[in-house]
Amino acid sequence: MTRPIVDPELAPYLDEPKQLPSGSLGKDARLRLRFERRDERSILAVMERKAPLLVQRAIYCDEGMPALPWVFIITNSGGILQGDRYQIRIEAAPGSFGHVTTQAATKIHEMDANYAAQTQEIVLEAGSYLEYLPDPVIPFRHARFLNRTRITIDSTATLLYAETLMAGRKYYRAGESYEFDLFSSAVHAERPDGTALFTEKFVVEPAQSSPRDLGVMGEFDVFGNVVLLTPKVHADRILAQIEPTFDRSAHCADGASRLPNDAGLIYKVLGPESGVVRARIRAFWTLVREEVTKYPVPSEFPWR
């Protein structure tokens, strides 16, 4: 029986690896996190994990918001390999809050068969607040990666979700820039009753259409895509503080616009290096946290 193709861009990459079959033991990672409110603080109430995705414990390292638990997603595989299938589910119970990030950049290793895929389910209940800010994704030469994120969010909750894509291993040997085969990412958001808010999908296939083209990435090597789902009153105040910019001295461009159905904002930034894009995302994060929670973003940790 022929395997059904859900996403047409995967059609060339359905062959099985000669090593372990796709999604087999060691290649079927799962992670479930649930934040719950306990008096004045939030806790990581549920943590279920299946290697190579790991989480050790929540830590309270945020000087700006001391009751906020930080959770670092860890992988013991050294990166994502061909045939890997990752599943992540993050839940925020009523009134809870949390910050989720990764231990380091996510490396998508070189592939000669099949592809790697990650599905994410994010559920925010009434009055909850979640920051999901992973480090950048670095696709190696001939990497094929599919990322699908489904968000269910109450109208009173706030989610700050970021995705940062690098062109490749820019400083590896002679440099790898847009030499991966496929990067496909989609985000869909809806209310708990199933009412759709928005769907965004972008597919990057450098061999089919060069990202260096005018109006795509051009001279830039790093793309930051940030989604803010929040009540309209917050979105209005945040948007009023953002001016679209094209900074030639820093070789950086950024700007924000509204999402449909009063869902919130989408913020995009382009830069030559990950540090430039991280700084712009951090500035946007600062606006969001101060507006929604009235707490500041902490000083950047020396090791990050």
Side-chain angles (χ1 to χ4, degrees):
M1 181 180 294
T2 303
R3 181 186 304 180
I5 301 172
V6 177
D7 297 275
E9 62 268 29
L10 293 179
Y13 311 116
L14 298 181
D15 54 330
E16 283 294 329
K18 294 179 181 179
Q19 304 83 17
L20 291 174
S22 59
S24 58
L25 183 65
K27 304 183 74 62
D28 179 22
R30 299 180 187 179
L31 180 65
R32 181 188 171 213
L33 308 174
R34 181 173 175 84
F35 296 97
E36 294 183 0
R37 185 72 176 260
R38 294 291 188 273
D39 299 322
E40 295 304 313
R41 68 168 13 186
S42 187
I43 67 165
L44 181 60
V46 176
M47 185 268 290
E48 300 172 359
R49 61 192 183 186
K50 180 181 179 183
L53 280 177
L54 303 172
V55 162
Q56 293 177 323
R57 59 179 296 179
I59 58 176
Y60 294 85
C61 58
D62 195 316
E63 294 181 353
M65 196 172 176
L68 176 80
W70 279 51
V71 174
F72 290 83
I73 298 176
I74 301 169
T75 174
N76 63 4
S77 67
I80 295 179
L81 309 175
Q82 61 189 29
D84 281 358
R85 303 292 187 263
Y86 284 16
Q87 298 180 51
I88 298 174
R89 181 177 174 89
I90 304 173
E91 305 167 6
S96 66
F97 38 90
H99 180 103
V100 179
T101 185
T102 52
Q103 63 172 353
T106 298
K107 304 170 185 66
I108 314 297
H109 285 272
E110 187 168 348
M111 302 178 185
D112 59 17
N114 207 256
Y115 61 95
Q118 175 175 273
T119 59
Q120 301 182 122
E121 293 277 347
I122 303 174
V123 180
L124 274 72
E125 300 180 40
S128 60
Y129 174 83
L130 178 68
E131 299 169 347
Y132 186 22
L133 304 175
D135 281 347
V137 174
I138 307 175
F140 291 11
R141 179 184 287 119
H142 294 308
R144 305 94 177 246
F145 187 62
L146 185 85
N147 189 52
R148 294 292 177 263
T149 302
R150 187 180 186 89
I151 301 166
T152 303
I153 183 168
D154 187 86
S155 61
T156 61
T158 293
L159 170 66
L160 181 64
Y161 169 90
E163 184 175 28
T164 304
L165 175 65
M166 298 184 66
R169 294 179 290 182
K170 185 174 179 179
Y171 299 106
Y172 175 72
R173 295 181 179 173
E176 291 179 7
S177 179
Y178 299 114
E179 295 185 19
F180 54 89
D181 291 339
L182 170 69
F183 185 89
S184 175
S185 180
V187 179
H188 172 80
E190 61 186 34
R191 296 298 183 204
D193 64 2
T195 302
L197 295 175
F198 78 96
T199 298
E200 182 190 47
K201 178 178 180 179
F202 61 89
V203 178
V204 187
E205 295 178 285
Q208 305 298 323
S209 178
S210 174
R212 294 294 187 196
D213 288 346
L214 184 66
V216 188
M217 290 294 291
E219 64 190 52
F220 298 110
D221 294 317
V222 186
F223 170 52
N225 193 43
V226 186
V227 172
L228 172 64
L229 302 180
T230 194
K232 186 175 184 298
V233 61
H234 298 315
D236 289 346
R237 291 172 181 165
I238 293 167
L239 186 61
Q241 300 178 66
I242 300 173
E243 291 290 337
T245 61
F246 187 89
D247 188 338
R248 292 188 179 276
S249 62
H251 302 287
C252 182
D254 67 344
S257 59
R258 294 185 186 275
L259 288 168
N261 301 307
D262 289 331
L265 304 175
I266 190 161
Y267 171 75
K268 298 181 184 290
V269 53
L270 302 175
E273 305 287 348
S274 61
V276 174
V277 173
R278 281 172 59 97
R280 295 298 179 104
I281 292 177
R282 184 178 179 83
F284 185 74
W285 171 26
T286 299
L287 288 176
V288 171
R289 186 189 282 193
E290 291 180 348
E291 165 62 29
V292 177
T293 72
K294 309 306 179 187
Y295 290 100
V297 166
S299 299
E300 191 161 15
F301 300 129
W303 63 87
R304 297 179 70 82

